[in-house]
Amino acid sequence: MDEGQSTEGGGKEFWRVLEELRARLANGAYPLGSSLPAQRTLADELGVSRDTVQRALRALAGEGWIESRQGSGSRVVKSPTQLGTQQQEVPRVRATLGTFVARAFAQPVVQLDVFTLTSESLDAHIRLQAERVRLGEVRPERIELRMLLPDTSLTLPYPRAKQLVSEGEARPDDGAGSEPGHRHGQVAQLNGTLHDRLNDITRRHSISLRSALRDLKTEKLVPSVRVEVRYVPLTPAFKLYLRPGVEALFGPYEVVERSILMDDETEVDAIDVLGLGSTLTRHVNDEGDPDSSGSVFVESMRAWFDSCWNLLARPS
């Protein structure tokens, strides 16, 4: 998608609304089982047309977060907020990314190491914390973020058009006949479009969170801000968030079948992963017992991240 587009139907306004609604799901503003405000209410609140809101809701429904029924509105059927309770001092519990990032920003020095597919979830929470800094709720003195993303040249196994995965036909390089080969050629082209779309999402959110943090330094709200992004030749099967030496959030990506709404309004049945709603497990470094499972996990993941950062990654 061209970020320079400004037409409300398919450009900046659509993405702005979609990302705002995703952020509200991420921070629990719309909890599991609740109903979203009416389309007209959302349109008025967000300053867009009702058509733009409808498109954003269709995208969320395609991603599996909401269920929309005519006459009944939209209801949250899957929550990205996983057990955001106060019982998070246990070394291993399910956790939410929002509280993890909030704990990081409550410290004088914010240190985060991240390995993820697109940084979409992280972007939403970083922006929430940036607003807290502006409001004076937290006052970090230094922010350091290192992020590993899959190399854009990789051919990832997802998202992938469902047809290519489910059909039992031969692949083009298996000597298939012209008709199956033609169909596979079309699907391969579609997969290329899906790959480009994924790279675009990754790029937009990386730019967004970088800007959100660097603006804090520009506005003289945080004296020191360092954001580094590097690319590794790895397909993320999991997401990892580290506060080095302190705690880790770890969670596998959930592989799902879903409909992906493309920029040209077409819908593609695909095999994809959902990162916004992946279940995260929290591991805490127990300084009193370096041999505890939490301590061993945090330190082993830190060593893994550092090795990838230093030996496999290329700078952005």
Side-chain angles (χ1 to χ4, degrees), residues 134-152:
R134 289 189 176 89
L135 292 171
E137 296 178 4
V138 291
R139 294 182 174 84
E141 300 168 2
R142 187 166 82 246
I143 298 174
E144 297 177 356
L145 169 63
R146 297 191 300 175
M147 186 161 62
L148 289 173
L149 297 170
D151 198 297
T152 55

Side-chain angles (χ1 to χ4, degrees), residues 24-37:
R24 293 181 184 186
L25 286 167
N27 64 27
Y30 303 143
L32 182 65
S34 68
S35 295
L36 271 65

Side-chain angles (χ1 to χ4, degrees), residues 202-215:
T202 302
R203 179 176 60 86
R204 285 189 295 103
H205 287 288
S206 298
I207 292 172
S208 175
L209 69 86
R210 271 179 167 178
S211 298
L213 292 177
R214 289 175 176 175
D215 285 350

Side-chain angles (χ1 to χ4, degrees), residues 44-116:
D44 292 342
E45 179 184 349
L46 298 170
V48 296
S49 70
R50 189 172 176 181
D51 177 68
T52 299
V53 170
Q54 288 175 338
R55 290 192 66 228
L57 293 177
R58 284 204 303 272
L60 290 175
E63 293 171 359
W65 305 118
I66 66 172
E67 183 180 80
S68 297
R69 293 183 180 179
Q70 189 170 4
S72 301
S74 300
R75 183 173 62 90
V76 181
V77 295
K78 184 172 183 179
S79 174
T81 304
Q82 304 291 337
L83 291 181
T85 67
Q86 296 300 315
Q87 299 177 352
Q88 293 184 348
E89 296 309 316
V90 180
R92 297 184 63 186
V93 296
R94 290 185 176 184
T96 171
L97 179 59
T99 55
F100 174 87
V101 176
R103 283 194 298 272
F105 272 77
Q107 308 305 313
V109 177
V110 180
Q111 287 185 298
L112 292 171
D113 289 342
V114 178
F115 174 58
T116 184

